[in-house]
Amino acid sequence: MTSFPDRERGFQQQAEADQQRHNQLAIWRLAWFAFSVAVVWLLIAGKQTTWAALAALIGVVVFTRMMTWHQAVRRKRDLNRHLAALNTDEQLRLDRQFTRPETGVAFAPIDHAYAHDLDVFGKHSLFRLINRTRTYDGTARLAQYLLQPAQPHVIFLRQQAVAALKPHINWRQDFEATAMLNEKISLSTAGLRAWAIGNTTPLPGWLNIARFVLPVLTIGVFASWVMGYVPGLSVFAALGVHGLLLSSMKETTKQVSEQTHEIAQSLSDFADLFRFVECAPGDSILLTDLRKRLESSQVTASVAVRQLARLVENFNFRRNPYFYLFVGLPSLWDAHYLAALNRWQAQHGPVLADWFSALAETEALNSLAGFAHAHPDYVQPELFENEAVHIDAQNVAHPLIPPTRAVANSLAFDGSGKTILITGSNMSGKSTFLRTVGLNVVLAQAGAVVAASRFICSPVQVFTSMRTQDSLEENTSSFYAELKRLRTLIQQTQNVPGAEIKSGLPVDLPILYFLDEILKGTNSADRHKGAEALIRQLHRTKASGFVSTHDLELGQLGESVDFVQNYHFRSDIHEGKVTFDYHLRPGICQSFNASELMKAIGIEM
């Protein structure tokens, strides 16, 4: 497999060669322009008018062709630059360094069940690790993957598609780099989609006739004025009739222009992206369905959107006042293009939203495929369909820690009402392990590969209470904030109406919870009593999960009941230094390091 640095160097070299061709063509264009002007001038000076006109025509045709070549070379250069940048970014991601600014935070509900606690979004997040989308809809779809557990059959289809796309790195990176050619492609398509499904306003029959007849008559009036047959006011009168006619459709014209103007500059690039999807490699069921969704009875999505690109671009020439005055008004430009846009809308408008949805789905799958390609040691998880929580994680590691530094652990449990109680000293790895399991479950239920040698899980709702904070705005202490979070968990396990709204998840799946330093905001006696009561209460539900604590007494619960299993992380002290190995072990922790850490900062113990 070619490494990312090798690919980066190759594309950078191609970009440099393209830049040289670009510079050469610029010089040739300038030389040809100067030569054409000189030839035309000499022919005119020699009174060879016919030859001068022919030379001018040839000069314009060749110059236009050279401009087309120049633009093609520039596009190829930019594409290779983007491909080089993509491979640089891929290499940095392996070390968990993220260069793209998008964090996905805007897509996460404030009180989501797990997004905040598990670093699904943010500066150092799962989203930044996986995201290879470029359109707004694609980014939103990927965020949805990470926020909402998919149904098992959907996960299976995504896994198939990811496996099919994974080896096709050239297609995947060309797809993404093409989207990078136009920054406008990241804008929301909501306005365009609203126009596409909106009610068409067909032009009246008389206007359909007038938009052809009136410009011809006006040209005749103008020619008559030039020849002196009619006064100049006749021309202004004819243009006045045009203005009255166009004013009758002013509101419709303004609305269509506003809905299409922002996205107009990127529609051609969207057409290229649709073409990529239409030619997507792989025979998986989902990819085949996506390709079929971009077909219609007459044309493909790429062809139809390219037609729309030309229509919208030409229509919005009207926004230039000089063009509108000298071309738009005399030709009744708005009427012609409104009629053309109406025809396009009637033919393709109802399926445009589905085309963009298919494109978004492809981008999200491309992100998962890129993630899988970059991590060949990660495995495709197995979905174990069971009504109870089932987890079997072998050598599972935290996906946001560089693979060279991540410490893997193994754990398996099965059944409803089970609690894995994890004790350990400060900084020993309790919270990291909870996030390790939680993030890999999120990845598994999104359809992605996971950081493990084997990973089997049943469909679950992940729920966390790990980073509760006080709020001055709501006059809420961190302890009360945690209580509110735990109340949502209890309501979720009891299928209380409205609980799914607060958590952002449905209530038809067993809950897999992760509670870090449970009830840490109160005294030790109340903390122990409350934590034990909560664990016993959750035991009577379908929920199972993980609880981390410093409370060794709480660990004794596992010695007396069969629904609590004790595990711990240990620390060692050698010559006054605290060391950790971050390995999960069965049983209750017997070593703590708080006093040594306090001594290390200068507190006399």
Side-chain angles (χ1 to χ4, degrees):
M1 181 179 70
T2 306
S3 68
F4 293 127
D6 289 341
R7 289 178 63 85
E8 185 274 333
R9 284 191 292 272
F11 288 122
Q12 189 59 45
Q13 289 172 358
Q14 292 181 41
E16 291 171 357
D18 292 334
Q19 180 63 50
Q20 290 181 353
R21 289 184 60 203
H22 184 271
N23 294 341
Q24 290 170 357
L25 277 172
I27 295 172
W28 279 109
R29 276 178 58 191
L30 180 61
W32 177 257
F33 178 79
F35 173 75
S36 299
V37 170
V39 169
V40 171
W41 183 82
L42 289 172
L43 289 172
I44 292 175
K47 301 187 184 302
Q48 301 291 324
T49 307
T50 302
W51 287 104
L54 180 61
L57 178 61
I58 294 173
V60 169
V61 170
V62 173
F63 188 79
T64 302
R65 182 58 181 165
M66 292 177 73
M67 284 184 62
T68 303
W69 290 337
H70 205 190
Q71 289 171 351
V73 171
R74 180 167 62 245
R75 181 183 174 87
K76 187 171 181 291
R77 177 203 64 189
D78 292 344
L79 188 68
N80 282 320
R81 284 177 176 176
H82 291 316
L83 286 166
L86 285 180
N87 284 278
T88 300
D89 178 66
E90 290 285 2
Q91 184 61 35
L92 289 172
R93 289 194 210 206
L94 295 180
D95 296 325
R96 300 312 186 250
Q97 300 177 39
F98 307 117
T99 58
R100 290 186 58 178
E102 301 90 349
T103 63
V105 171
F107 296 100
I110 296 176
D111 296 323
H112 189 264
Y114 57 79
H116 177 65
D117 288 338
L118 296 185
D119 299 311
V120 174
F121 303 100
K123 291 183 178 179
H124 193 80
S125 64
L126 192 63
F127 178 82
R128 295 191 85 186
L129 176 63
I130 295 177
N131 182 31
R132 289 159 177 85
T133 65
R134 294 291 168 173
T135 70
Y136 179 88
D137 294 338
T139 304
R141 184 64 55 87
L142 178 62
Q144 183 186 16
Y145 276 18
L146 300 178
L147 289 170
Q148 190 80 22
Q151 296 180 2
H153 74 278
V154 175
I155 296 172
F156 175 72
L157 292 176
R158 290 178 186 172
Q159 289 177 340
Q160 273 191 329
V162 168
L165 289 175
K166 177 182 173 181
H168 298 282
I169 186 171
N170 289 329
W171 180 91
R172 289 189 291 100
Q173 290 194 344
D174 285 346
F175 179 51
E176 185 178 357
T178 299
M180 295 170 67
L181 289 171
N182 192 332
E183 293 181 358
K184 297 281 187 181
I185 215 159
S186 63
L187 294 175
S188 172
T189 59
L192 181 65
R193 285 184 279 114
W195 165 77
I197 61 175
N199 295 325
T200 59
T201 307
L203 300 180
W206 65 267
L207 183 54
N208 262 321
I209 298 174
R211 66 189 176 95
F212 293 105
V213 174
L214 283 180
V216 174
L217 294 177
T218 301
I219 291 173
V221 172
F222 179 79
S224 298
W225 169 69
V226 170
M227 291 185 289
Y229 295 132
V230 298
L233 288 177
S234 301
V235 177
F236 287 105
L239 292 176
V241 173
H242 287 217
L244 289 173
L245 190 149
L246 292 178
S247 66
S248 67
M249 61 182 76
K250 180 179 179 181
E251 290 303 318
T252 301
T253 302
K254 179 181 178 183
Q255 182 180 4
V256 173
S257 181
E258 288 177 349
Q259 289 176 318
T260 60
H261 172 65
E262 284 295 328
I263 205 71
Q265 297 180 35
S266 57
L267 276 175
S268 292
D269 295 290
F270 270 115
D272 289 335
L273 296 184
F274 284 124
R275 181 174 51 80
F276 269 98
V277 181
E278 292 161 4
C279 301
D283 295 324
S284 77
I285 295 173
L286 185 51
L287 291 174
T288 300
D289 177 67
L290 290 172
R291 289 192 293 263
K292 287 183 178 178
R293 286 167 61 183
L294 298 185
E295 298 175 359
S296 68
S297 58
Q298 296 179 330
V299 296
T300 61
S302 60
V303 172
V305 171
R306 197 170 299 281
Q307 291 172 352
L308 179 62
R310 287 193 292 268
L311 290 175
V312 170
E313 182 181 13
N314 292 345
F315 173 67
N316 282 291
F317 285 162
R318 65 180 304 280
R319 299 173 75 93
N320 184 309
Y322 296 106
F323 178 88
Y324 186 81
L325 180 62
F326 294 107
V327 178
L329 182 61
S331 66
L332 295 178
W333 189 268
D334 292 354
H336 290 293
Y337 277 93
L338 277 180
L341 287 168
N342 280 344
R343 288 194 299 272
W344 193 98
Q345 183 187 17
Q347 184 176 358
H348 305 295
V351 294
L352 183 64
D354 188 55
W355 288 348
F356 278 115
S357 177
L359 176 59
E361 191 80 14
T362 306
E363 277 200 290
L365 292 171
N366 184 52
S367 291
L368 300 189
F371 177 63
H373 181 273
H375 299 86
D377 294 334
Y378 288 7
V379 298
Q380 190 176 83
E382 300 176 41
L383 269 293
F384 180 80
E385 295 198 46
N386 189 22
E387 293 185 358
V389 176
H390 178 90
I391 299 290
D392 183 357
Q394 299 300 311
N395 299 312
V396 63
H398 197 301
L400 292 178
I401 298 176
T404 55
R405 293 196 288 110
V407 177
N409 286 287
S410 300
L411 180 141
F413 75 98
D414 179 83
S416 298
K418 301 291 185 69
T419 296
I420 302 296
L421 189 64
I422 302 178
T423 52
S425 58
N426 296 290
M427 302 187 299
S428 61
K430 301 188 304 297
S431 301
T432 299
F433 180 71
L434 264 60
R435 292 190 175 92
T436 295
V437 177
L439 278 171
N440 280 287
V441 171
V442 170
L443 282 170
Q445 297 196 129
V449 296
V450 298
S453 61
R454 185 178 71 175
F455 197 87
I456 305 172
C457 72
S458 59
V460 294
Q461 299 172 186
V462 175
F463 188 95
T464 63
S465 179
M466 304 179 74
R467 285 177 176 156
T468 51
Q469 299 177 345
D470 58 350
S471 172
L472 293 176
E473 182 179 350
E474 298 181 6
N475 194 24
T476 303
S477 68
S478 59
F479 177 65
Y480 186 64
E482 184 180 7
L483 291 181
K484 290 173 62 178
R485 188 75 174 171
L486 295 176
R487 179 180 62 187
T488 302
L489 171 60
I490 293 170
Q491 291 175 339
Q492 189 87 7
T493 62
Q494 297 173 345
N495 290 357
V496 174
E500 69 277 11
I501 298 175
K502 294 180 181 179
S503 68
L505 296 177
V507 294
D508 57 348
L509 294 175
I511 292 174
L512 176 64
Y513 56 80
F514 298 86
L515 311 180
D516 189 31
E517 300 296 348
I518 187 172
L519 299 174
K520 53 186 170 292
T522 188
N523 63 76
S524 58
D526 286 341
R527 179 172 64 247
H528 172 74
K529 186 185 301 183
E532 181 176 340
L534 178 62
I535 290 173
R536 290 183 179 276
Q537 183 173 346
L538 291 172
H539 168 61
R540 298 192 294 271
T541 71
K542 293 194 302 181
S544 293
F546 296 77
V547 173
S548 73
T549 182
H550 284 100
D551 187 354
L552 291 182
E553 188 177 356
L554 185 61
Q556 301 301 321
L557 181 62
E559 305 295 327
S560 59
V561 298
D562 62 355
F563 56 84
V564 176
Q565 299 177 45
N566 283 311
Y567 288 87
H568 72 277
F569 288 94
R570 61 178 290 178
S571 60
D572 295 310
I573 301 174
H574 181 68
E575 296 181 354
K577 293 184 179 180
V578 181
T579 60
F580 310 95
D581 63 10
Y582 305 112
H583 286 294
L584 184 69
R585 295 176 171 86
I588 304 173
C589 181
Q590 301 298 326
S591 62
F592 288 85
N593 60 22
S595 59
E596 292 298 326
L597 291 173
M598 287 186 282
K599 287 180 182 179
I601 66 168
I603 298 178
E604 298 179 1
M605 302 294 292

Coordinates of all heavy atoms in Angstrom, one line a residue, residues 376-430:
P376 N -5.6 0.1 8.9 CA -5.8 -1.3 8.5 C -5.9 -2.3 9.6 O -6.4 -3.4 9.5 CB -4.6 -1.5 7.6 CG -3.6 -0.5 8.0 CD -4.4 0.7 8.4
D377 N -5.4 -1.9 10.8 CA -5.4 -2.8 12.0 C -6.7 -2.8 12.7 O -6.9 -3.6 13.6 CB -4.2 -2.5 12.9 CG -2.9 -2.7 12.3 OD1 -2.8 -3.6 11.4 OD2 -1.9 -2.1 12.7
Y378 N -7.5 -1.8 12.4 CA -8.8 -1.8 13.1 C -9.8 -2.8 12.4 O -9.6 -3.2 11.3 CB -9.5 -0.4 12.9 CG -8.8 0.7 13.8 CD1 -7.7 0.5 14.5 CD2 -9.4 2.0 13.9 CE1 -7.1 1.5 15.3 CE2 -8.8 3.0 14.6 CZ -7.7 2.7 15.4 OH -7.1 3.7 16.1
V379 N -10.7 -3.3 13.2 CA -11.6 -4.3 12.7 C -13.0 -3.9 12.5 O -13.5 -2.9 13.1 CB -11.6 -5.6 13.6 CG1 -10.2 -6.1 13.8 CG2 -12.2 -5.2 15.0
Q380 N -13.7 -4.6 11.6 CA -15.1 -4.3 11.4 C -15.9 -5.1 12.5 O -15.7 -6.3 12.7 CB -15.5 -4.9 10.0 CG -16.9 -4.5 9.6 CD -17.3 -5.0 8.2 OE1 -17.7 -6.1 8.0 NE2 -17.1 -4.1 7.2
P381 N -16.6 -4.4 13.3 CA -17.3 -5.0 14.4 C -18.4 -5.9 14.0 O -19.0 -5.8 12.9 CB -17.9 -3.8 15.2 CG -18.0 -2.7 14.2 CD -16.9 -2.9 13.2
E382 N -18.8 -6.8 14.9 CA -19.9 -7.7 14.6 C -21.1 -7.3 15.4 O -20.9 -6.9 16.6 CB -19.5 -9.2 15.0 CG -18.3 -9.7 14.3 CD -18.0 -11.1 14.7 OE1 -18.9 -11.9 15.0 OE2 -16.7 -11.4 14.9
L383 N -22.2 -7.3 14.8 CA -23.5 -6.9 15.5 C -24.1 -8.2 16.1 O -24.5 -9.1 15.3 CB -24.4 -6.1 14.6 CG -24.2 -4.6 14.6 CD1 -24.6 -4.0 16.0 CD2 -22.8 -4.2 14.3
F384 N -24.3 -8.2 17.4 CA -24.9 -9.3 18.0 C -26.3 -8.9 18.4 O -26.5 -8.2 19.4 CB -24.1 -9.7 19.2 CG -24.7 -10.9 20.0 CD1 -24.4 -12.2 19.6 CD2 -25.4 -10.7 21.2 CE1 -24.9 -13.3 20.3 CE2 -25.9 -11.8 21.9 CZ -25.6 -13.1 21.4
E385 N -27.3 -9.4 17.6 CA -28.7 -8.9 17.9 C -29.2 -9.6 19.1 O -29.4 -10.9 19.1 CB -29.6 -9.2 16.7 CG -29.2 -8.3 15.5 CD -30.2 -8.2 14.4 OE1 -31.4 -8.0 14.8 OE2 -29.9 -8.4 13.2
N386 N -29.5 -8.8 20.2 CA -29.9 -9.4 21.4 C -30.7 -8.3 22.2 O -30.4 -7.1 22.1 CB -28.6 -9.8 22.2 CG -29.0 -10.6 23.5 OD1 -30.1 -11.2 23.6 ND2 -28.1 -10.6 24.5
E387 N -31.6 -8.8 23.0 CA -32.4 -7.8 23.7 C -31.6 -7.2 24.9 O -32.0 -6.2 25.4 CB -33.7 -8.4 24.2 CG -34.7 -8.8 23.1 CD -36.0 -9.3 23.6 OE1 -36.2 -9.4 24.8 OE2 -36.9 -9.6 22.7
A388 N -30.7 -8.0 25.4 CA -29.8 -7.5 26.5 C -28.5 -6.9 26.0 O -28.1 -7.2 24.8 CB -29.6 -8.6 27.5
V389 N -27.8 -6.1 26.8 CA -26.6 -5.6 26.4 C -25.5 -6.7 26.3 O -25.4 -7.5 27.2 CB -26.1 -4.5 27.5 CG1 -24.7 -4.0 27.1 CG2 -27.1 -3.4 27.5
H390 N -24.8 -6.7 25.2 CA -23.7 -7.6 25.0 C -22.5 -6.9 24.5 O -22.6 -6.2 23.4 CB -24.2 -8.7 24.0 CG -23.1 -9.7 23.7 ND1 -23.0 -10.9 24.5 CD2 -22.1 -9.8 22.8 CE1 -21.9 -11.6 24.0 NE2 -21.4 -10.9 23.0
I391 N -21.4 -7.0 25.2 CA -20.1 -6.4 24.7 C -19.0 -7.5 24.8 O -18.9 -8.1 25.9 CB -19.8 -5.2 25.6 CG1 -20.8 -4.1 25.5 CG2 -18.4 -4.7 25.2 CD1 -20.9 -3.4 24.2
D392 N -18.3 -7.6 23.8 CA -17.1 -8.5 23.8 C -16.0 -7.7 23.0 O -16.0 -7.7 21.8 CB -17.4 -9.8 23.1 CG -16.1 -10.7 23.2 OD1 -15.1 -10.3 23.7 OD2 -16.3 -11.9 22.7
A393 N -15.1 -7.0 23.8 CA -14.1 -6.2 23.2 C -12.7 -6.7 23.5 O -12.3 -6.8 24.7 CB -14.2 -4.7 23.8
Q394 N -12.0 -7.1 22.5 CA -10.7 -7.7 22.7 C -9.6 -6.7 22.1 O -9.7 -6.2 21.0 CB -10.6 -9.0 21.9 CG -11.5 -10.1 22.4 CD -11.3 -10.4 23.9 OE1 -10.2 -10.6 24.3 NE2 -12.4 -10.4 24.6
N395 N -8.7 -6.3 23.0 CA -7.6 -5.4 22.7 C -8.2 -4.1 22.1 O -7.8 -3.6 21.1 CB -6.7 -6.0 21.7 CG -6.0 -7.2 22.2 OD1 -5.4 -7.2 23.3 ND2 -6.0 -8.3 21.4
V396 N -9.2 -3.5 22.8 CA -9.8 -2.3 22.4 C -9.0 -1.1 22.9 O -8.5 -1.1 24.1 CB -11.3 -2.3 22.9 CG1 -11.3 -2.2 24.5 CG2 -12.0 -1.1 22.4
A397 N -8.9 -0.1 22.0 CA -8.0 1.1 22.4 C -8.8 2.3 22.1 O -9.8 2.3 21.4 CB -6.8 1.1 21.5
H398 N -8.4 3.4 22.7 CA -9.0 4.7 22.5 C -8.7 5.2 21.1 O -7.5 5.4 20.8 CB -8.5 5.7 23.6 CG -9.4 6.9 23.7 ND1 -9.7 7.8 22.7 CD2 -10.1 7.4 24.8 CE1 -10.5 8.7 23.2 NE2 -10.7 8.5 24.4
P399 N -9.7 5.5 20.3 CA -9.4 5.9 18.9 C -8.8 7.3 18.7 O -8.2 7.6 17.7 CB -10.8 5.8 18.2 CG -11.8 6.0 19.3 CD -11.2 5.3 20.5
L400 N -8.9 8.1 19.8 CA -8.4 9.5 19.7 C -7.0 9.6 20.2 O -6.4 10.6 20.2 CB -9.3 10.5 20.4 CG -10.7 10.7 19.7 CD1 -11.5 11.6 20.6 CD2 -10.5 11.2 18.3
I401 N -6.4 8.5 20.7 CA -5.0 8.4 21.2 C -4.2 7.8 20.0 O -4.7 6.8 19.4 CB -4.9 7.6 22.4 CG1 -5.6 8.2 23.6 CG2 -3.4 7.5 22.8 CD1 -5.6 7.4 24.9
P402 N -3.1 8.4 19.6 CA -2.3 7.8 18.5 C -2.1 6.3 18.7 O -1.8 5.9 19.9 CB -1.0 8.6 18.5 CG -1.4 9.9 19.1 CD -2.5 9.6 20.2
P403 N -2.3 5.5 17.7 CA -2.2 4.0 17.9 C -0.8 3.6 18.5 O -0.8 2.6 19.1 CB -2.3 3.5 16.4 CG -3.2 4.6 15.7 CD -2.8 5.9 16.3
T404 N 0.2 4.4 18.2 CA 1.5 4.0 18.8 C 1.6 4.2 20.3 O 2.5 3.6 20.9 CB 2.6 4.8 18.1 OG1 2.3 6.2 18.2 CG2 2.7 4.5 16.6
R405 N 0.7 5.0 20.8 CA 0.7 5.2 22.3 C -0.5 4.7 23.0 O -0.5 4.6 24.2 CB 0.8 6.8 22.5 CG 2.1 7.4 22.1 CD 2.3 8.7 22.7 NE 1.4 9.8 22.1 CZ 0.4 10.3 22.8 NH1 0.1 9.9 24.0 NH2 -0.4 11.2 22.2
A406 N -1.5 4.3 22.3 CA -2.7 3.8 22.9 C -2.5 2.4 23.6 O -1.9 1.5 23.0 CB -3.9 3.7 21.9
V407 N -3.0 2.2 24.8 CA -2.9 1.0 25.5 C -4.2 0.2 25.4 O -5.3 0.8 25.7 CB -2.6 1.2 27.0 CG1 -2.5 -0.2 27.7 CG2 -1.2 1.9 27.1
A408 N -4.1 -1.0 24.9 CA -5.4 -1.8 24.6 C -5.7 -2.6 25.8 O -4.8 -3.1 26.5 CB -5.2 -2.6 23.4
N409 N -7.0 -2.8 26.0 CA -7.5 -3.7 27.1 C -8.6 -4.6 26.5 O -9.2 -4.3 25.5 CB -8.0 -2.9 28.3 CG -6.9 -2.3 29.1 OD1 -6.2 -3.0 29.8 ND2 -6.7 -0.9 28.9
S410 N -9.0 -5.6 27.3 CA -10.1 -6.5 26.8 C -11.1 -6.6 27.9 O -10.7 -6.6 29.1 CB -9.5 -7.9 26.5 OG -8.5 -7.8 25.4
L411 N -12.3 -6.8 27.5 CA -13.4 -7.0 28.5 C -14.6 -7.5 27.8 O -14.9 -7.2 26.6 CB -13.7 -5.6 29.1 CG -14.9 -5.6 30.2 CD1 -14.5 -4.7 31.3 CD2 -16.2 -5.1 29.6
A412 N -15.4 -8.3 28.5 CA -16.6 -8.9 27.9 C -17.7 -9.0 29.0 O -17.3 -9.4 30.1 CB -16.3 -10.2 27.2
F413 N -18.9 -8.7 28.7 CA -20.0 -9.0 29.6 C -21.3 -9.1 28.8 O -21.4 -8.5 27.7 CB -20.1 -8.0 30.8 CG -20.6 -6.6 30.4 CD1 -21.9 -6.3 30.6 CD2 -19.8 -5.7 29.8 CE1 -22.4 -5.1 30.3 CE2 -20.3 -4.4 29.5 CZ -21.6 -4.1 29.7
D414 N -22.3 -9.7 29.4 CA -23.5 -10.0 28.8 C -24.7 -10.0 29.8 O -24.5 -10.5 30.9 CB -23.5 -11.3 28.0 CG -24.7 -11.6 27.3 OD1 -24.9 -11.2 26.2 OD2 -25.6 -12.4 27.9
G415 N -25.8 -9.4 29.4 CA -27.0 -9.4 30.2 C -27.5 -8.1 30.6 O -26.8 -7.0 30.5
S416 N -28.7 -8.1 31.1 CA -29.4 -6.8 31.5 C -29.1 -6.6 33.0 O -28.9 -7.5 33.8 CB -30.9 -6.9 31.3 OG -31.2 -7.1 30.0
G417 N -29.1 -5.3 33.4 CA -28.9 -5.0 34.8 C -27.5 -5.2 35.4 O -27.4 -5.3 36.6
K418 N -26.5 -5.3 34.5 CA -25.2 -5.6 34.9 C -24.4 -4.3 35.0 O -24.6 -3.3 34.2 CB -24.4 -6.5 34.0 CG -25.1 -7.9 33.8 CD -25.0 -8.7 35.0 CE -25.5 -10.1 34.8 NZ -24.7 -10.9 33.8
T419 N -23.5 -4.2 36.0 CA -22.6 -3.0 36.2 C -21.2 -3.5 36.3 O -20.8 -4.3 37.1 CB -23.0 -2.2 37.4 OG1 -24.3 -1.7 37.3 CG2 -22.0 -1.1 37.6
I420 N -20.3 -2.9 35.5 CA -18.9 -3.0 35.6 C -18.4 -1.9 36.4 O -18.5 -0.7 36.0 CB -18.2 -3.0 34.2 CG1 -18.8 -4.1 33.3 CG2 -16.7 -3.1 34.4 CD1 -18.5 -5.5 33.8
L421 N -17.9 -2.2 37.6 CA -17.5 -1.2 38.6 C -16.0 -1.1 38.5 O -15.2 -2.1 38.8 CB -17.9 -1.5 40.0 CG -17.7 -0.4 41.1 CD1 -18.6 0.8 40.8 CD2 -18.0 -1.0 42.4
I422 N -15.4 0.1 38.2 CA -14.0 0.3 38.0 C -13.5 1.2 39.0 O -13.9 2.4 39.1 CB -13.7 0.8 36.5 CG1 -14.3 -0.1 35.5 CG2 -12.2 1.0 36.4 CD1 -14.1 0.3 34.1
T423 N -12.5 0.7 39.8 CA -11.9 1.6 40.8 C -10.4 1.8 40.4 O -9.9 1.1 39.5 CB -11.9 0.9 42.2 OG1 -11.4 -0.5 42.0 CG2 -13.3 0.8 42.8
G424 N -9.8 2.8 41.0 CA -8.4 3.1 40.6 C -8.0 4.4 41.1 O -8.9 5.3 41.5
S425 N -6.7 4.7 41.1 CA -6.2 5.9 41.6 C -6.4 7.0 40.6 O -6.8 6.8 39.4 CB -4.7 5.8 41.9 OG -4.0 5.3 40.8
N426 N -6.0 8.2 40.9 CA -6.1 9.4 40.0 C -5.2 9.2 38.8 O -4.1 8.7 39.0 CB -5.7 10.7 40.7 CG -6.6 11.0 41.9 OD1 -7.7 11.4 41.6 ND2 -6.2 10.9 43.1
M427 N -5.7 9.5 37.6 CA -4.9 9.5 36.4 C -4.5 8.1 36.0 O -3.6 7.9 35.1 CB -3.7 10.4 36.5 CG -4.0 11.8 36.8 SD -2.5 12.9 36.7 CE -1.4 12.2 37.9
S428 N -5.1 7.0 36.6 CA -4.7 5.7 36.2 C -5.4 5.2 35.0 O -5.0 4.1 34.4 CB -5.1 4.7 37.4 OG -6.5 4.7 37.6
G429 N -6.4 5.8 34.5 CA -7.0 5.4 33.2 C -8.5 5.1 33.2 O -9.0 4.6 32.2
K430 N -9.2 5.3 34.4 CA -10.6 4.9 34.5 C -11.4 5.6 33.5 O -12.2 5.0 32.7 CB -11.1 5.2 35.9 CG -10.3 4.5 37.0 CD -11.0 4.7 38.4 CE -11.2 6.2 38.7 NZ -9.9 6.9 38.9

